[in-house]
Amino acid sequence: MSVSLDDLELLLDVAELGSFSQAAARRGWSQPQASQRVALLESRLGARLFSRHRRGAEPTAACMAFLPAARAALDALAEGRERLAGAEGLPRVRVACLPSLAGVVFGPLLAKLAEAPLEIRCDTDHSPQILQQLLGGELDIGFVLQRPAVSGLEMEALCDSPIVAVAAPSHPLAGVEQAQPLGRLAEHPLAPQNWGDGAEELVRRLRRLRAPGRPIHLSQPASAARDLALWHGYVAFVPRLSVRQELEWGALRELPLQEPELGRWRLMMAWRAGKRPDAAKMMTLEAARALARDWR
């Protein structure tokens, strides 16, 4: 079975516009020609793609399920053409990380690779989705929270960041040098980040120390909790790595606690090993390792 790229583009147009005639006009075809091509595509795929009615055409459930694959095929072709047409022909490395790490990873990583003969494409997602995209070849390198080993992927620990309590310098607790019990922090507005395992348990502990009816806002990503601490007088509980720059600049203060540890956030770097050497990917991996040494 063969499906032409023109038919995939027509399929997306009809789904977007809800009309065979409008999709045909966009492609410079006649309406009967567009209808005939969609009917042939339905026959080849063995599924009805549109419900026809007097007001136009509505995608069926089968069509909606097929659309992501059609878009991916066209996007892959467009990317290939762009690479062929690129004047400099620089290799690309596709990188993704957790939303909470975007500010920590992408800027410093690109700074280390500023003069390297490659181009980085950055995106964010959650750990399971990043691993799936690595396995599917949609990404080259992913930064994820600690996960079990995945067949087909190399995984390397980069950083083991403790969960810390932070507040703005103007906060009443920011100038206190003596280690504080959690109960003292519970007297103030609280915004823990939902960093993963242990976050809900911390909320339960804090709630027992807190006056009844006072809320505790569990937020995601780390930037949401960070902003509540920076601008709105909250105590935020976040991985130290996610607010590393704010702590270095003095925009936030880490509050000393009597608790030995609130939890940890283990960052892993994952990639798919290939039989052929990929110089651009290896260069990016080494830059990430150097970045991790800075974190320590």
Side-chain angles (χ1 to χ4, degrees):
M1 180 193 73
S2 63
V3 175
S4 75
L5 295 172
D6 284 344
D7 288 343
L8 293 182
E9 290 174 341
L10 174 62
L11 172 71
L12 295 178
D13 287 343
V14 176
E16 175 191 347
L17 298 171
S19 166
F20 281 94
S21 58
Q22 291 182 39
R26 175 181 284 185
R27 312 222 63 78
W29 299 340
S30 67
Q31 192 274 340
Q33 184 181 9
S35 296
Q36 183 179 16
R37 294 190 72 145
V38 170
L40 182 59
L41 181 60
E42 289 176 321
S43 175
R44 286 174 174 167
L45 295 176
R48 189 182 182 194
L49 299 175
F50 294 98
S51 297
R52 283 81 163 167
H53 49 74
R54 286 196 293 177
R55 295 188 303 276
E58 183 175 346
T60 63
C63 181
M64 296 301 293
F66 181 69
L67 285 178
R71 289 193 187 96
L74 293 171
D75 288 345
L77 176 65
E79 181 179 348
R81 285 173 172 167
E82 185 179 342
R83 291 189 182 191
L84 287 174
E88 299 169 352
L90 292 175
R92 289 182 181 174
V93 180
R94 300 158 298 176
V95 177
C97 75
L98 302 168
S100 294
L101 273 175
V104 178
V105 171
F106 289 153
L109 183 64
L110 268 62
K112 286 187 177 294
L113 295 167
E115 302 301 323
L118 56 88
E119 292 182 345
I120 303 289
R121 293 292 185 268
C122 301
D123 202 354
T124 60
D125 213 327
H126 298 291
S127 296
Q129 287 74 26
I130 290 175
L131 295 178
Q132 285 299 318
Q133 290 174 66
L134 288 168
L135 288 169
E138 302 166 60
L139 288 174
D140 298 302
I141 301 173
F143 299 91
V144 301
L145 292 185
Q146 183 174 13
R147 315 289 297 181
V150 177
S151 178
L153 294 181
E154 300 288 334
M155 301 188 74
E156 178 179 330
L158 290 183
C159 182
D160 202 13
S161 180
I163 305 302
V164 296
V166 298
S170 59
H171 194 279
L173 295 177
V176 179
E177 296 183 3
Q178 184 178 0
Q180 300 295 305
L182 276 180
R184 179 78 186 279
L185 273 63
E187 298 170 3
H188 298 268
L190 301 178
Q193 180 207 349
N194 190 4
W195 71 81
D197 293 344
E200 289 286 359
E201 174 57 28
L202 176 62
V203 169
R204 286 191 288 270
R205 291 175 60 195
L206 290 168
R207 187 167 285 123
R208 290 194 292 267
L209 300 169
R210 200 162 170 75
R214 296 195 67 193
I216 298 176
H217 303 294
L218 191 63
S219 58
Q220 182 73 301
S223 57
R226 177 203 64 197
D227 288 352
L228 286 169
L230 277 171
W231 310 114
H232 303 289
Y234 279 74
V235 173
F237 295 86
V238 293
R240 184 184 288 147
L241 180 61
S242 69
V243 291
R244 177 174 176 267
Q245 292 180 330
E246 288 81 2
L247 291 172
E248 289 180 357
W249 297 338
L252 288 174
R253 300 274 180 85
E254 183 175 338
L255 306 180
L257 297 175
Q258 293 179 0
E259 294 284 323
E261 186 173 288
L262 297 175
R264 303 194 76 82
W265 205 55
R266 194 170 199 205
L267 175 64
M268 311 287 291
M269 179 167 65
W271 68 97
R272 189 171 66 171
K275 295 181 179 179
R276 292 180 298 177
D278 186 330
K281 183 161 75 173
M282 294 305 299
M283 200 176 303
T284 307
L285 291 171
E286 286 303 319
R289 292 182 181 114
L291 190 61
R293 288 193 290 271
D294 294 342
W295 293 339
R296 296 167 194 155

